[in-house]
Amino acid sequence: MAGPRVVIIGAGVVGAALADEISARGWTEVTVVDQGPLPATGGSSSHAPGLVFQTNSSKTMTELARYTVEKLSSLDVDGEPCFLQVGGLEVATTPERLTELHRRLGWLTAWGVEGRLLTADECVARHPLVDRDRVLGGLLVPTDGLAKAVLAVEAQIRRATERGVTFLARHEVLDVRQADGEVTGVLTDRGEIPADIVVCCAGIWGPKIARMAGMNLPLTPLAHQLAWTGPVPALAGQKEEAVRPILRHQDGDLYYRDRFDGIGIGYYGHRPMPVTADDILSVDEADGMPSVLKFTEDDFADAWAETQALLPATREAKIEEGINGLFSFTTDNFPLLGESPDLKGFWVAEAVWVTHSAGVGRAMAEWLVDGFCSSFDLHECDVNRFEPHQLSPEYVLTRDCRNFVEVYDILHPLQPSGDPRPIRTSPFHARQQEHGAFFLEANGWERPQWYEANARLVEGRSLAVPDDWAARYWSPVVAAEAQVTRETVAMYDMTALKRLEVAGPGAAAFLERLVTGKVAKSVGSVTYTLLLDHDGGIRSDITVARLARDLFQVGANGNLDLDWFARHLPADGSVQVRDITPGTCCIGLWGPLARKVLQPLTEDDFSDAGLKYFRAKHAYIGSVPVTAMRLSYVGELGWELYTTADQGGKLWDTLWRAAEPLGGILAGRGAFNSLRLEKGYRSFGSDMTYEHDPYEAGVGFAVKLDKDDFIGKAALERRRADVRRKLTCLTIDDPRSVVMGKEPVYDGERAVGFVTSAAYGHTIGKGIAYAWLPAELAVPGAALHIGYFDRRVEAVVAEEPLFDPTMSRLRG
């Protein structure tokens, strides 16, 4: 036996995969408990139709699915395969869907998965039941297929058992034992099992189990209709379970799979049918599988009519059986992975479908054994990513039901997430409404994208207009706001930026241990720096302002930064960390006339000598006390001005009265994004994530290897000499071809990378796209192409930054 004592709750596809993966890494003192029989435990895995589609806008989710395909393809049970690699086919019955399939092929190409577009005739050749007159084309992924979920569970149970893992069927978990903030074991109806680590893989019962550990799990089980036809005459004599590709008819919210001479039909077009984990029966109480509810025929009527239209051969068949099967949804469609913030040793691996199950098993095993995950970037999946309002029951239920409805919808990258809104509003919200703000959402905050009051600025300007897709949730006003920011001055609402306060006698030493830069400097210093994981991957980029000897303000990227800080706090209480975002607000005042706006409003010195670049100080703007930081993510002279929420409105009015006579404007996030890309500033989560190191991402300047040890330093010293890829600036001459991110980049006919962030540079007159490329191609002047829907856009590698490379405007 080796490793700590681990108890895994749930022996479905996730629990079995984790047991297999973690035991393969040498941890064998592992016990897996499940309330049901093995290998068909009665949860979602036991009734899952098994469709595995790898296409996803998220690189991480595609990679989790790809590993699942690779692993399950290698498994069998007594010669019976666990995966039927019949391929996956998505068909388009509308021009809009056909266009979307081009975008989806771009994702596949960007993430390195084979796919190709088919004509209507080729679709019918692959799936002869499809009505040729209904389809316009399709997307084929040859490596997709059908996972035999119960067989996969059995195969992985056998492998783990051979290494010493114990599986206990018919053990219902009653409680998670704990002492002094740490897990000590699991209480079942058959006794207590001691544990150093408990991992909840309970699926639809996950919220119930997590609550035993004091954890609020934002997951909703929803019923999903799955029906099976009787024999279809056109399939008579089919001896193999599946010979045709799994089929998705997303325009009809439908999917299909073979089952010998019948067809399985899955449907997302019905009303959401949520249940609570507490209402799901136990295995012993249920009549059959507790994850299967009674089929509601009325909800399936439209699905059956549309099926008979797309697959005419089904008109000679009948629906013989059906279920409303429960499975898990989350508010952002990503799994819930990671350790509880409050109970050490309690981990979750929840809201994971069969498609991603083996990949999640591997990711969790690496995370547990090594302390970090080396195979996948999990920042989108970390259970601690949520803001407090995102854990409220109303929010979770509303968003989860909406996500069910939108499963197969064509969603624009900027499309608002819908109700409940508004949730978080800055003190400037009423003023912004008066100026016609068009709001999008950022971490629950209503954040202006542009202001209709600025429509007058469009007149007389030469402004690039993107194509119809990129022009959604866009306005020519965005372009005008960007240009005017560089001409005069603009006010930006930066309240959505997360702000943390780090205080106490140990604060400086604490931060020095966590960040790559030197932050224990003079009071008033502001430092751009990085948080790294132990493997040298970038966890976040932050700014750290030293406001007093034992007081720092951190500009963070989200709740994961707060969680990271909290997990590393010293036990002696010498450091306190708190989120000050809700009680504060921020205005970015930027532009060549920014000093002319600000200086007359204060007795404090805001000259270049009075407050140098990347310095901070306390001051009064009119009657409002502010923390002023001289930094700018639009590349212009100016300051971030912070105050308390109660005085935000006064600060806004004071600045606006001074700015407006000088030609100042209010500007939104659309202009901000364009300007920051002109300046080459990175955005964590899109341009760089956990899988990238500072030298690849072009932020090596934020690493000070001559300082004392910090998390990730040893790994960086190994990685810095072997940079094989680089985040690279590309420019595009065609003003209509404004790509939006996640498109593939080609060198000739070879896909070599993908776009991260993109926008049109309204003051340089070119499109801008940052992309990950092989280092040998990241050479200024190199000619490449970006795959944008059904065409290739010419792009050229450019020197960065594109705007003000001498920094003269920032330092003016």
Side-chain angles (χ1 to χ4, degrees), residues 437-497:
F438 179 87
F439 293 100
L440 294 180
E441 185 185 4
N443 292 325
W445 292 98
E446 295 295 316
R447 184 169 65 187
Q449 193 74 358
W450 70 83
Y451 294 87
E452 285 297 334
N454 291 329
R456 57 184 172 78
L457 301 175
V458 173
E459 297 178 13
R461 293 180 179 271
S462 177
L463 303 175
V465 178
D467 67 9
D468 292 344
W469 177 256
R472 297 187 188 183
Y473 309 104
W474 180 88
S475 165
V477 175
V478 169
E481 289 178 356
Q483 291 182 357
V484 173
T485 299
R486 299 229 186 274
E487 295 165 0
T488 58
V489 64
M491 290 168 52
Y492 288 82
D493 181 359
M494 301 299 291
T495 302
L497 173 71

Side-chain angles (χ1 to χ4, degrees), residues 578-595:
R578 66 187 185 101
D579 183 359
I580 61 172
T581 313
T584 57
C585 57
C586 178
I587 296 172
L589 181 71
W590 295 313
L593 302 184
R595 187 172 284 122

